[in-house]
Amino acid sequence: MTDQLDKAFAALSDATRRDLIARLAIGDATVGELAAPYDMTVQAISKHLKVLTDAGLVTKRAEAQRRLVHLEADALRALTQWVEHYAQLAERRYSRLERVLAGMTDQLTDQPTDGPASATRKDAP
Amino acid sequence: MTDQLDKAFAALSDATRRDLIARLAIGDATVGELAAPYDMTVQAISKHLKVLTDAGLVTKRAEAQRRLVHLEADALRALTQWVEHYAQLAERRYSRLERVLAGMTDQLTDQPTDGPASATRKDAP
DNA sequence: GTCTTTTTCAACCAACCGGTTGAGGAGCAT
DNA sequence: ATGCTCCTCAACCGGTTGGTTGAAAAAGAC
């Protein structure tokens, strides 16, 4: 589980692989077609594609002696979900803090806020 | 631009750093607080935080001799946007293909479809 | 002032990464 | 069968990474 996220994020950390993703979003393609635009050997692209497949972002199906590479949109969605979760969490917390600060004049002893800024410590998570 | 995406995705490719993000989504914390739960030296966590800051995902502000670490939700959003863009592109293309296949009985010689599956090749992108 | 806390810097190490070259494998085509 | 095309596997190399230890900087506490 965590291993898959490791691989997926690592896969996207390379500009060439992100470029391949962008290309594959347009439509499926063979390894050779994918390699053509790059100033790089086909083996290098093949390696990149292996990284992407190991991360589950891409699949290949044999088509004669060529391999048709296909982008797995669902795997991408798993990434956005992870990131969005914490982005929203942080954003919500922040806006709540803002709300609390703004509302300090209105009502002051209402709910137990978990404390502004530095009072968020935990001992045994 | 591309360099920042490189760093951000690379930063998230490590489970420890993702864990730090998750912790920081709850609220800001000092380096020591962040390091406490881990079976690892404080220096190692400091390094991880440097990676996160270099990626722009996190900022630090001095608070006495401690450093308060803060999660930058906007930087996370930049990642989700990138991934979502291509996820939607691929998904839309796929559903369009499905629509074409389903509609083949209704109307067959209508628009020049870019060809199902394997006919999506391009020579000079 | 000295001592303690908090964090970073520096050097080191094993392991991994992104690229190369070279060889091999699996399918058509002739 | 022989050859051609498309792709992957293996070995290698320089550079980066994730962790360690040790020292030092910066700010409070005494």
Side-chain angles (χ1 to χ4, degrees), chain A residues 14 17 39-41 43-44 47-48 64-65:
Chain A
D14 184 276
R17 285 193 294 258
D39 192 17
M40 205 184 298
T41 63
Q43 291 96 315
K47 268 194 179 182
H48 280 304
Q65 71 269 56

Side-chain angles (χ1 to χ4, degrees), chain B residues 14 16-17 39-41 43-44 47-48 51 64-65:
Chain B
D14 183 277
T16 303
R17 284 190 295 257
D39 192 18
M40 205 184 300
T41 64
Q43 290 95 316
K47 267 193 179 184
H48 279 304
V51 173
Q65 73 269 55

Side-chain angles (χ1 to χ4, degrees), chain A residues 27-46:
Chain A
D28 299 358
T30 71
V31 177
E33 289 168 349
L34 290 170
Y38 298 96
D39 192 17
M40 205 184 298
T41 63
V42 185
Q43 291 96 315
I45 298 293
S46 184

Side-chain angles (χ1 to χ4, degrees), chain B residues 58 64 66 68 71 92 94 122:
Chain B
V58 139
R66 314 182 209 81
L68 252 211
L71 179 59
R92 246 194 291 262
Y94 186 68
K122 281 170 64 183

Side-chain angles (χ1 to χ4, degrees), chain B residues 64-125:
Chain B
Q65 73 269 55
R66 314 182 209 81
R67 308 274 183 271
L68 252 211
V69 186
H70 173 74
L71 179 59
E72 293 291 329
D74 292 353
L76 285 181
R77 280 278 153 68
L79 295 191
T80 62
Q81 274 179 236
W82 192 95
V83 180
E84 260 301 301
H85 175 70
Y86 293 107
Q88 280 186 16
L89 207 68
E91 201 173 58
R92 246 194 291 262
R93 183 194 71 89
Y94 186 68
S95 66
R96 184 161 63 103
L97 173 63
E98 274 193 331
R99 185 167 53 77
V100 168
L101 290 177
M104 278 175 89
T105 50
D106 304 1
Q107 43 190 349
L108 35 144
T109 55
D110 212 54
Q111 289 152 348
T113 78
D114 57 353
S118 60
T120 330
R121 301 170 186 166
K122 281 170 64 183
D123 308 70

